Amino acid sequence: QVQLQESGSGGGSVQSGGSLTLSCIVSGNLYSWYRRGWFRQAPGKEREGVAVIDSDGTATYANSVKGRFTISEDTTKSRLHMEMNNLKPEDTAMYYCAADSGSVSSWFWSDYPYNYKDQGTQVTVSS
């Protein structure tokens, strides 16, 4: 059984320009080729892929966060991290750690149904 769980201080509230780091523990029998990363969903909006790590360690980002967010994982692929810098009010959303067997490109499809996700953590950025 695959489980994803936010760890550490997780999300929170920061002012515009601030930083937060999200961490996620991946446990269970997740196939090595599954992509792992985060998506977000703001109230009244569709799911939006934010960042994903491919099985070879290649990271891909949504244009809206490129240059500001950095995703990484440990060598065992059991812990995932996303450092978020220069946060903007439009980054405010519920962030979900997720894993999926689809392609990297599908990770960024609007309202994509990821195979596995955690309970989510709220990130609020005030102006």
Side-chain angles (χ1 to χ4, degrees), residues 66-114:
K66 200 172 293 183
R68 300 188 296 120
F69 290 15
T70 303
I71 190 172
S72 62
E73 63 180 356
D74 68 359
T75 54
T76 66
K77 298 186 178 181
S78 62
R79 287 181 179 271
L80 202 61
H81 307 283
M82 185 166 69
E83 182 179 346
M84 304 183 294
N85 297 314
N86 190 21
L87 283 161
K88 304 176 181 181
E90 51 264 41
D91 294 318
T92 295
M94 187 73 81
Y95 283 70
Y96 297 86
C97 177
D100 192 77
S101 59
S103 65
V104 169
S105 60
S106 66
W107 191 273
F108 301 97
W109 292 352
S110 181
D111 221 24
Y112 184 75
Y114 303 89

Side-chain angles (χ1 to χ4, degrees), residues 1-126:
Q1 182 179 358
V2 174
Q3 282 191 320
L4 302 169
Q5 185 175 2
E6 298 283 347
S7 68
S9 56
S13 297
V14 296
Q15 290 191 327
S16 182
S19 299
L20 285 171
T21 297
L22 303 182
S23 296
C24 176
I25 297 174
V26 181
S27 61
N29 298 319
L30 184 68
Y31 291 113
S32 61
W33 63 82
Y34 270 57
R35 280 80 183 179
R36 294 165 295 279
W38 271 270
F39 70 90
R40 65 188 180 188
Q41 188 165 21
K45 294 189 176 182
E46 295 181 336
R47 292 176 174 180
E48 175 191 19
V50 177
V52 62
I53 283 189
D54 205 344
S55 55
D56 65 356
T58 302
T60 306
Y61 302 91
N63 288 334
S64 58
V65 307
K66 200 172 293 183
R68 300 188 296 120
F69 290 15
T70 303
I71 190 172
S72 62
E73 63 180 356
D74 68 359
T75 54
T76 66
K77 298 186 178 181
S78 62
R79 287 181 179 271
L80 202 61
H81 307 283
M82 185 166 69
E83 182 179 346
M84 304 183 294
N85 297 314
N86 190 21
L87 283 161
K88 304 176 181 181
E90 51 264 41
D91 294 318
T92 295
M94 187 73 81
Y95 283 70
Y96 297 86
C97 177
D100 192 77
S101 59
S103 65
V104 169
S105 60
S106 66
W107 191 273
F108 301 97
W109 292 352
S110 181
D111 221 24
Y112 184 75
Y114 303 89
N115 293 142
Y116 302 101
K117 65 179 180 68
D118 69 355
Q119 74 281 6
T121 187
Q122 179 67 37
V123 171
T124 302
V125 185
S126 57

